Amino acid sequence: MEERKILYSAIQPTNNLTIGNYIGPIKNWISLQNDYNCFFAVANMHAITVRQVPAELRQKTLEVIALYIACGVDPEKCVMYVQSHVPAHAELCWVLNTFTYVGEMERMTQFKDKSLRHAENINMGLMDYPVLMAADILLYQTDVVPVGLDQRQHVEIARDIAQRFNNAFSPTFKVPEALYAKIGAKINDLQDPAKKMSKSAENPNGSIFLSDDRDTVIRKFKRAVTDSGSEIKYDPETKAGISNLLSIYSAFTGKTVAEAEADFAGKGYGDFKLAVGETVADKLFPIQKEQARLLADKAYLEGVLRSGAERAARAANKTLSKVYKKIGFYQL
């Protein structure tokens, strides 16, 4: 029997997660956990590149773990843990810094974007973010990383760093591949369909948060920007708003885009937007209910995190030990 490939993914515990986070990483994890050996992290070390309120960061960390489980990610099938609970992430990041060039980091799109948005706090962590992400991925000898199209650059830099280290010494890291979702890889803002739906968008009406109640979800979809014309057709170039709504409807129903188009043939934009809103609200309600139940059982969540940290550390320390040996660190 062929050994299952290793998959790594993580989400930051900052702001409120959106349906983009659900459709992109989390929903895909539910099926991927049956086909891969999965490591799913809460990326709290990445989160502090932007100033956080400490108590909120702690609470959000538990909320994200509860959300993973509420959505159907099974801690018995995968390794679910908090990034800072495994010190090897920071340790490998330091080594990989010496195989990464300043120019590469300055060219990263996310660094340029965040530097503009957080001009008062352009810290080294903000620049070093992709190296820590490379460490996250390479620590576990990861084969595949499920990402949205906007994250392609981060997987590419992880591959470059891995190959650079392997060439300098001998094969040490697996060179990971990006795994793209066929639909819903990028869910866009409801008010500005040219932009990705974001946890930190300036206009909250453009994002559907996983914590939004039913009335809020439906109201936001009713106000979603559409396009000229009346046909409900998938065409991202000329009908960005409608195409985005079709992607969301398709992801939440499991239907193909063609089937979604057929469902609304001859219908108006108003009926379409209401139907998408109701579909999303119906899906979110049981997730929100289960998340609240889990958050009330802190002992269970901490047990999941303790077990996950131990399993993650075992795998991570094997890689770190190899790296330390190759670069010449004296080990006891």
Side-chain angles (χ1 to χ4, degrees), residues 10 26 28 69 82 101 149 191 193 234 244 274 283 290 293:
I26 300 173
N28 288 319
I69 301 169
V82 174
Y101 304 123
L149 296 174
Q191 294 299 311
Y234 189 82
N244 188 40
L274 176 61
K283 183 72 176 179
E290 178 63 4
R293 186 191 72 77

Side-chain angles (χ1 to χ4, degrees), residues 18-301:
T18 71
I19 59 168
N21 299 117
Y22 172 72
I23 291 170
I26 300 173
K27 187 169 180 284
N28 288 319
W29 292 357
I30 297 162
S31 57
L32 292 169
Q33 68 184 344
N34 296 315
D35 300 322
Y36 294 89
N37 287 332
C38 296
F39 290 82
F40 296 136
V42 180
N44 60 340
M45 292 167 69
H46 285 288
I48 62 168
T49 56
V50 174
R51 293 284 174 262
Q52 304 294 333
V53 177
E56 286 181 9
L57 182 60
R58 281 189 285 272
Q59 179 59 25
K60 290 284 184 194
T61 298
L62 277 183
E63 286 177 9
V64 170
I65 282 292
L67 184 70
Y68 288 176
I69 301 169
C71 288
V73 182
D74 186 347
E76 298 296 321
K77 291 182 178 179
C78 61
V79 179
M80 195 182 296
Y81 70 102
V82 174
Q83 187 184 26
S84 65
H85 291 171
V86 182
H89 284 263
E91 294 178 72
L92 182 60
C93 179
W94 178 252
V95 175
L96 297 185
N97 275 328
T98 66
F99 290 83
T100 309
Y101 304 123
V102 173
E104 290 176 309
M105 296 298 95
E106 289 175 334
R107 289 193 294 273
M108 295 297 286
T109 303
Q110 190 174 44
F111 173 67
K112 289 189 277 192
D113 289 349
K114 283 199 171 183
S115 296
L116 288 172
R117 280 191 280 137
H118 303 280
E120 76 293 346
N121 181 28
I122 303 174
N123 58 70
M124 282 308 300
L126 208 57
M127 179 178 275
D128 207 33
Y129 188 107
V131 186
L132 178 56
M133 189 178 285
D136 299 340
I137 295 165
L138 300 179
L139 260 181
Y140 299 100
Q141 300 297 339
T142 300
D143 294 287
V144 294
V145 186
V147 289
L149 296 174
D150 58 312
Q151 290 286 325
R152 177 183 292 164
Q153 221 181 3
H154 285 116
V155 179
E156 286 173 356
I157 200 73
R159 287 170 57 83
D160 290 345
I161 294 169
Q163 287 166 336
R164 204 170 286 154
F165 190 96
N166 290 348
N167 291 337
F169 296 101
S170 57
T172 306
F173 298 116
K174 278 186 188 171
V175 180
E177 301 281 348
L179 182 68
Y180 300 107
K182 291 184 175 65
I183 263 294
K186 185 178 179 186
I187 297 301
N188 291 334
D189 190 284
L190 298 184
Q191 294 299 311
D192 183 358
K195 290 182 182 173
K196 179 187 173 186
M197 186 178 287
S198 171
K199 295 189 291 178
S200 53
E202 289 178 15
N203 182 354
N205 289 316
S207 297
I208 303 293
F209 300 107
L210 296 180
S211 56
D212 282 345
D213 61 32
R214 184 180 187 83
D215 288 347
T216 302
V217 170
I218 290 172
R219 174 175 52 78
K220 286 181 179 180
F221 274 108
K222 280 182 174 177
R223 294 179 179 177
V225 169
T226 49
D227 320 282
S228 58
S230 59
E231 191 180 9
I232 296 167
K233 185 171 185 275
Y234 189 82
D235 182 352
E237 292 299 315
T238 62
K239 298 176 82 68
I242 289 296
S243 298
N244 188 40
L245 294 175
L246 279 167
S247 286
I248 294 169
Y249 182 80
S250 171
F252 273 89
T253 59
K255 295 183 177 183
T256 65
V257 169
E259 288 168 338
E261 287 174 335
D263 282 353
F264 297 101
K267 301 271 179 69
Y269 284 176
D271 289 342
F272 173 52
K273 290 196 285 187
L274 176 61
V276 179
E278 289 178 339
T279 298
V280 172
D282 287 346
K283 183 72 176 179
L284 293 187
F285 177 72
I287 291 172
Q288 292 165 348
K289 191 175 176 183
E290 178 63 4
Q291 184 191 28
R293 186 191 72 77
L294 289 163
L295 284 168
D297 191 350
K298 191 176 176 183
Y300 167 74
L301 291 178

